[in-house]
Amino acid sequence: MAAALAVRRGYAADRGMTTAEYAVGTLAACAAAAVLYKVLSGGAVEAALRSVIGKALGVDV
């Protein structure tokens, strides 16, 4: 019984993220956002979007 209680206390003390984990998570999110921005702002994606919007509106863009 005492061993089970000690294990539960150990898990309770390890809840949530620490500051270092927040920093790594924030860096990973920023890196993913930068990659997504580069992909979406590239020429091929822009041309494809212009084509799709032009066809939807019935105009030559």
Side-chain angles (χ1 to χ4, degrees):
M1 183 74 169
L5 184 58
V7 169
R8 286 189 199 146
R9 285 185 186 154
Y11 287 130
D14 196 29
R15 289 186 187 163
M17 291 194 335
T18 63
T19 304
E21 290 169 331
Y22 277 116
V24 170
T26 301
L27 282 173
C30 289
V35 169
L36 184 61
Y37 174 76
K38 280 293 193 182
V39 168
L40 292 179
S41 64
V45 174
E46 183 181 351
L49 286 174
R50 283 183 187 268
S51 173
V52 168
I53 292 171
K55 287 179 183 177
L57 296 176
V59 294
D60 190 22
V61 178

